[in-house]
Amino acid sequence: MDRGAKVVTLQDVADLIGVHKSTVHRALRGDPRVESGTATRIQAAAAKLGYDPEANQAARRLSQRRFGNFESPHMVALFFPVLFSRSAYFLRQFHGFMEVMSDSGFDVLTRIVGNHEWQQFPSAVARGDVDAVVSLAHESQLMELRAQLLALPGSVQRPFITLINPLPGAWSVTADFRQGGRLAAAHLLDLGHQRILTIDGLSNQHRERLVGIRDELQARGLDPAKHLVAIKPDETISPWHAQVADSLDRGLAKAPGVTAIIAPNDQVAALLFTLLAKRGRPVPERMSLIGCDDTDPLLGPGHQNILTSVALPLEDIGRATARMAMALGSKPRSEVLPVNLQVRGTTQRVGSGRT
Amino acid sequence: MDRGAKVVTLQDVADLIGVHKSTVHRALRGDPRVESGTATRIQAAAAKLGYDPEANQAARRLSQRRFGNFESPHMVALFFPVLFSRSAYFLRQFHGFMEVMSDSGFDVLTRIVGNHEWQQFPSAVARGDVDAVVSLAHESQLMELRAQLLALPGSVQRPFITLINPLPGAWSVTADFRQGGRLAAAHLLDLGHQRILTIDGLSNQHRERLVGIRDELQARGLDPAKHLVAIKPDETISPWHAQVADSLDRGLAKAPGVTAIIAPNDQVAALLFTLLAKRGRPVPERMSLIGCDDTDPLLGPGHQNILTSVALPLEDIGRATARMAMALGSKPRSEVLPVNLQVRGTTQRVGSGRT
DNA sequence: CTGTTAGCGCCTTCAG
DNA sequence: CTGAAGGCGCTAACAG
C-alpha cells in the first residue's frame, strides 16, 4: 500500500530507448514527424514499462492549463436528496445513470444534499474537477443547491443538470407529463367515465398532467369545467394522509357523480384505494383509480401489482442524463422522454360493477 | 461555464501586498518566521482575493510528490453490485455510508461492478487518487474485484474494505452472525420449541449462524444433533424457489416433529411462509418461523411486517465503514457489530395453536 | 525528423 | 525574518 512507489515516467521510457522525452511524447501521440522505426520501438518500450500519461494527471493538468487546454476529467458529480434510499423514484433514475456511466468509464462522485456548507470542503466539485453537476434532489432543494454552486469562485462553474424538474438556465432531462395526463384521461374516457376527480397543486408535474387531461377532454369536444373536478388540497392539514382524505371528501361532496380518480402519485393512489373502500366506493367496482409514476405497487390478493398507473421511464431518464452529462453542448437544453400508461386492475368500464 | 477563468494564485496575493510568494506561502501556513504584521496583512489579502491552495490541486500534488509527501485526496471509491437498486440490503448500507461521508466532506466515487476492464479507463481509482476502495459487491464478485485492483500498477494499490464479507488481508466491517444464530435459537427454545429446522450452505453468513445455534443448544445442555436439523439444499435444482421447496420437504420428511424454522434470509422466509401454509403447517399456529437480515418485510393482514427476524444493523455497518475508510490504520482490521432479534408475529409458544 | 527550452503553481531548501 | 531558485512530469513552441 505504499503510496510512494515509483510511477513510470516519460523520462524512464526515453532513457530505455536512448532518446529524448519529447520524442517519446510525440511517438505516443502518433505525431507523424517521428520516424516510424523509432516510433514503434518507443511504443513497445512504453507498453512494456506500463507508461501512462493519465497516471500523472497532476502534471498533465498543470501543463495543459498553460495553453488553455482543459481536458475532461471524466467525472461528474451526482447529488442525492437525503432520504433517497426509501424511494424507487430516485433509485431507478440512479440505476440507469450509473449503468451508462460505468459502461463509459466515467467516474461518478455522489453526495447527499444536506445543509452542509460543502463548498468549504476540499471536494472535486469545489475545485471544478468535474464535467458536470447532476442533481436528483427534490424540487424544493434545487434552487439552494444551484445557489451554492453559483457561490463558488467563478472559475469552477460547471454545467448543472436536473432530472424531472427543469430549472431555468440549466440542462435537464424530464418526461412528458402533459402526455401522461392525456393518456390517463383518454383511457378513462374510453372506458366511459365522464366525470373525473383529481387532486391539484401537489407538484409542477401534476399541474402539467392537468393540462394534458384538459387537452384530451377538449380534443373530444368535452368541457373540462364539467368533466374534470380538480380539488386543491388544504395545506394547513397534516399529516399528509389526513390532507388527502379531506381532499377526497370535498371532491366527493362537490361532485358525487365522479366515477374515476387520477391520483397525483402512486402513494396517494394506494391511500385513496383504502379510503374509497371505507366510503363504500370500492375500486374498481364503483370507482376507477389511476396512479402516477408507477413506482409503488399496490398489491392485490395474488401479490401482484393491481394499480393502473402512468409510468415514468425512470431508468431511461437516468441513462439519458448520463449521456447528456458526457456530451454537453455549449448552451442548456432540455430532453423530454415519452411516458406510457400501464393498465392494470384498478380501472374498468364504468358501471360494470363486480368483475 | 468558462473553464479558463482565472484562479487566484499565490503570486496574485504576493503582488497585492508587494512581497514574495514564498512569504505568502509561509504566512498562510502559519510559519512563525514571518513577521506578525505582514502575516496578518497577507492573510487578509488572501481571504479577500479568495485564494485557496486546494484549488490548484494539480500543482500541489505535483510539488508534494517531489518531497515524498502524499496528502489524502479525501475521496474513496465505492463499488456496487449490478442489481443493487432492488435490494434494501445494499441500500441501507449505502445510505449509512453516504451519510457519514457527506457529513465529513469526503468525496465518494461510485461505480458498478460489472465485467468492465475498468482499470483501463482514466479513473481516479486507477490513478490511485482515492484513500480507499470500498466494496458492497456480492461475496462471489469480491475476489475478482480484488484481483483487478491488484493488477493495477504497484504504486496505486489502495486499502480494500469489504462490508459483511471479510476478505483475507483486507479491512472489513461485518456483523456478529454467530450471535444472531444464538439469539434466534434462544428465542425459539424459550418458547418451548425443541426441534428446529434450517437450510444450510447458502452463504458464509448463515454457516456462521449455524455455529451460533449449536452454541446456544449446547449452552442449555441440549445435543445439536438431536435438536437441530440442517438441510443442505440440492444445488442442481433451479429455479431458486423450487430448491427451497425441495429442502423444506426433505426436512419435514426427515424430521416431522420440527416446530420451528430459521430461514437463511427474509426472502426465503417469505417463501417458506407460503409453502408451509400449503402443506397444512400454517405459521405461526403450527410452525414458528424466523427470517434473517430483517430487510424484506412479510406483510400481514394489517399491512405491517409480521416476520420475526434477526436484524442486521445495515446503516450502522455503512457508517462504521465510512469511519474506517477515513481513518485507516496501517494494517487490516475487522470490525464486528452486534445484531438483534426483532420479535414479531411469526413465532409463538409451541403448541399454543390459533392465537 | 529530433533535441532543447520554458513554464503550468506549488512547496521546500538555500542564501541572504 | 524574507527573497531566490529549483523542480515535481508533462506539453507545446522553437530550434536545429
Side-chain angles (χ1 to χ4, degrees):
Chain A
M1 308 298 167
D2 31 14
R3 189 96 212 218
K6 65 165 192 296
V7 190
V8 185
T9 170
L10 214 44
Q11 187 67 57
D12 294 336
V13 184
D15 290 348
L16 189 68
I17 305 286
V19 83
H20 197 269
K21 56 176 182 167
S22 317
T23 311
V24 177
H25 176 238
R26 280 192 277 255
L28 264 28
R29 311 245 107 198
D31 192 312
R33 291 177 302 182
V34 283
E35 201 228 343
S36 68
T38 39
T40 38
R41 286 202 349 267
I42 289 172
Q43 277 151 9
K48 199 180 74 179
L49 294 181
Y51 171 74
D52 179 12
E54 299 280 353
N56 257 316
Q57 177 140 134
R60 189 169 227 210
R61 291 176 80 81
L62 192 57
S63 172
Q64 308 222 114
R65 174 165 315 182
R66 192 175 159 206
F67 304 98
N69 297 335
F70 298 99
E71 61 175 14
S72 158
H74 290 274
M75 176 151 73
V76 306
L78 179 68
F79 287 85
F80 273 110
V82 179
L83 284 177
F84 68 92
S85 73
R86 297 303 168 103
S87 166
Y89 191 77
F90 295 107
L91 289 174
R92 288 174 49 201
Q93 296 173 62
F94 179 48
H95 197 260
F97 186 81
M98 288 305 297
E99 185 186 303
V100 172
M101 283 304 193
S102 289
D103 282 349
S104 310
F106 261 61
D107 282 335
V108 177
L109 207 151
T110 56
R111 193 136 188 166
I112 293 179
V113 178
N115 29 18
H116 318 295
E117 300 274 326
W118 56 265
Q119 66 271 39
Q120 70 182 232
F121 293 124
S123 155
V125 180
R127 287 196 304 270
D129 286 346
V130 291
D131 293 310
V133 173
V134 178
S135 177
L136 279 170
H138 290 281
E139 210 173 334
S140 58
Q141 300 174 305
L142 286 177
M143 298 298 283
E144 195 196 325
L145 178 56
R146 189 82 200 283
Q148 285 195 29
L149 251 12
L150 291 173
L152 291 172
S155 60
V156 298
Q157 301 304 329
R158 307 280 77 207
F160 191 68
I161 313 181
T162 61
L163 287 82
I164 308 286
N165 306 286
L167 211 59
W171 282 253
S172 68
V173 176
T174 184
D176 194 343
F177 291 97
R178 187 161 167 178
Q179 177 67 5
R182 281 200 78 148
L183 290 174
H187 174 58
L188 292 175
L189 292 168
D190 286 347
L191 291 174
H193 296 275
Q194 292 283 324
R195 276 181 87 75
I196 301 171
L197 178 66
T198 192
I199 300 176
D200 190 9
L202 281 178
S203 66
N204 286 335
Q205 288 82 35
H206 197 57
R207 264 187 287 277
E208 210 35 51
R209 279 192 210 103
L210 278 186
V211 176
I213 295 171
R214 294 202 178 91
D215 284 351
E216 185 63 26
L217 288 168
Q218 282 168 342
R220 299 189 181 213
L222 301 171
D223 180 6
K226 286 186 181 147
H227 296 85
L228 177 67
V229 182
I231 298 292
K232 300 257 181 204
D234 181 348
E235 312 247 345
T236 64
I237 300 178
S238 80
W240 162 77
H241 49 263
Q243 198 180 103
V244 172
D246 169 74
S247 298
L248 173 63
D249 290 334
R250 283 191 288 121
L252 293 179
K254 186 172 172 186
V258 295
T259 58
I261 302 185
I262 299 175
N265 61 52
D266 291 340
Q267 289 169 53
V268 170
L271 176 57
L272 288 172
F273 183 88
T274 308
L275 293 174
L276 286 164
K278 287 186 189 152
R279 281 156 181 73
R281 300 263 207 154
V283 173
E285 293 82 5
R286 294 205 47 217
M287 186 74 80
S288 281
L289 178 65
I290 295 184
C292 284
D293 299 350
D294 201 31
T295 48
D296 302 79
L298 178 64
L299 298 181
H303 281 273
Q304 82 290 32
N305 186 6
I306 58 166
L307 183 64
T308 295
S309 189
V310 181
L312 291 180
L314 294 170
E315 282 88 355
D316 284 337
I317 288 175
R319 292 187 193 102
T321 307
R323 283 187 284 265
M324 183 181 275
M326 295 188 294
L328 292 156
S330 50
K331 59 169 172 290
R333 62 192 184 86
S334 190
E335 190 170 336
V336 180
L337 302 185
V339 301
N340 72 299
L341 184 73
Q342 292 292 329
V343 178
R344 299 199 185 88
T346 55
T347 45
Q348 70 176 29
R349 180 155 289 282
V350 65
S352 61
R354 196 152 282 279
T355 42
Chain B
M1 308 299 166
D2 32 13
R3 189 97 212 215
K6 66 166 190 298
V7 190
V8 185
T9 171
L10 214 44
Q11 188 66 58
D12 294 335
V13 183
D15 289 348
L16 190 67
I17 304 285
V19 83
H20 197 268
K21 56 178 181 168
S22 320
T23 311
V24 176
H25 176 241
R26 280 192 276 257
L28 262 29
R29 311 246 108 197
D31 191 312
R33 291 177 302 183
V34 281
E35 200 229 344
S36 68
T38 37
T40 38
R41 277 188 13 252
I42 289 171
Q43 278 151 8
K48 199 180 75 177
L49 294 181
Y51 171 73
D52 178 14
E54 299 280 353
N56 256 316
Q57 177 138 131
R60 187 169 228 210
R61 291 176 80 82
L62 191 57
S63 172
Q64 306 219 117
R65 172 166 317 181
R66 193 175 160 207
F67 305 97
N69 296 335
F70 297 99
E71 60 176 17
S72 158
H74 290 275
M75 176 151 73
V76 306
L78 179 68
F79 287 85
F80 273 109
V82 179
L83 283 178
F84 68 94
S85 73
R86 296 303 167 103
S87 164
Y89 191 77
F90 295 106
L91 289 174
R92 288 174 49 201
Q93 295 173 62
F94 178 49
H95 198 259
F97 186 81
M98 288 304 297
E99 185 185 304
V100 173
M101 284 304 193
S102 290
D103 282 350
S104 309
F106 261 62
D107 281 335
V108 177
L109 207 151
T110 58
R111 193 133 185 168
I112 292 180
V113 177
N115 30 17
H116 318 295
E117 299 276 325
W118 56 265
Q119 68 270 38
Q120 71 181 228
F121 293 124
S123 153
V125 180
R127 286 195 305 270
D129 286 346
V130 292
D131 293 308
V133 174
V134 178
S135 178
L136 280 170
H138 291 280
E139 211 174 333
S140 59
Q141 300 174 305
L142 286 178
M143 299 297 282
E144 196 197 323
L145 179 56
R146 189 82 199 285
Q148 286 195 29
L149 250 12
L150 291 174
L152 291 173
S155 60
V156 298
Q157 301 305 328
R158 308 281 76 209
F160 191 69
I161 313 181
T162 61
L163 287 81
I164 308 286
N165 306 286
L167 211 59
W171 282 252
S172 69
V173 176
T174 182
D176 194 344
F177 291 98
R178 186 161 168 178
Q179 176 67 4
R182 280 200 79 147
L183 291 174
H187 174 58
L188 293 174
L189 292 168
D190 286 346
L191 291 174
H193 297 276
Q194 292 281 326
R195 277 182 87 74
I196 301 171
L197 178 67
T198 192
I199 299 176
D200 190 9
L202 281 176
S203 67
N204 286 335
Q205 288 80 37
H206 198 55
R207 264 187 287 278
E208 209 36 49
R209 279 192 211 105
L210 278 186
V211 176
I213 295 172
R214 294 202 177 89
D215 285 352
E216 185 63 26
L217 287 168
Q218 282 168 340
R220 298 188 183 213
L222 301 172
D223 180 5
K226 289 188 179 140
H227 297 85
L228 178 67
V229 182
I231 298 293
K232 299 258 182 204
D234 181 348
E235 311 248 345
T236 64
I237 299 177
S238 81
W240 161 76
H241 49 264
Q243 196 180 104
V244 172
D246 169 73
S247 299
L248 173 63
D249 290 334
R250 283 191 288 121
L252 292 179
K254 185 172 173 186
V258 295
T259 57
I261 302 184
I262 299 175
N265 62 53
D266 291 341
Q267 289 169 53
V268 170
L271 176 57
L272 288 172
F273 184 88
T274 308
L275 292 174
L276 285 165
K278 286 185 190 153
R279 282 155 182 73
R281 302 262 207 154
V283 174
E285 293 81 7
R286 295 206 47 219
M287 186 74 82
S288 280
L289 178 65
I290 296 184
C292 284
D293 299 350
D294 201 31
T295 48
D296 301 78
L298 177 63
L299 298 181
H303 281 272
Q304 82 290 31
N305 187 6
I306 58 165
L307 183 65
T308 295
S309 188
V310 181
L312 291 179
L314 294 170
E315 283 87 355
D316 284 337
I317 289 175
R319 291 186 194 103
T321 306
R323 283 187 285 264
M324 182 180 275
M326 295 188 294
L328 292 157
S330 51
K331 58 171 174 290
R333 62 193 184 85
S334 190
E335 191 170 334
V336 180
L337 302 185
V339 302
N340 72 299
L341 183 73
Q342 291 291 329
V343 178
R344 300 199 184 89
T346 55
T347 46
Q348 69 177 30
R349 180 154 289 281
V350 66
S352 62
R354 197 151 280 281
T355 43

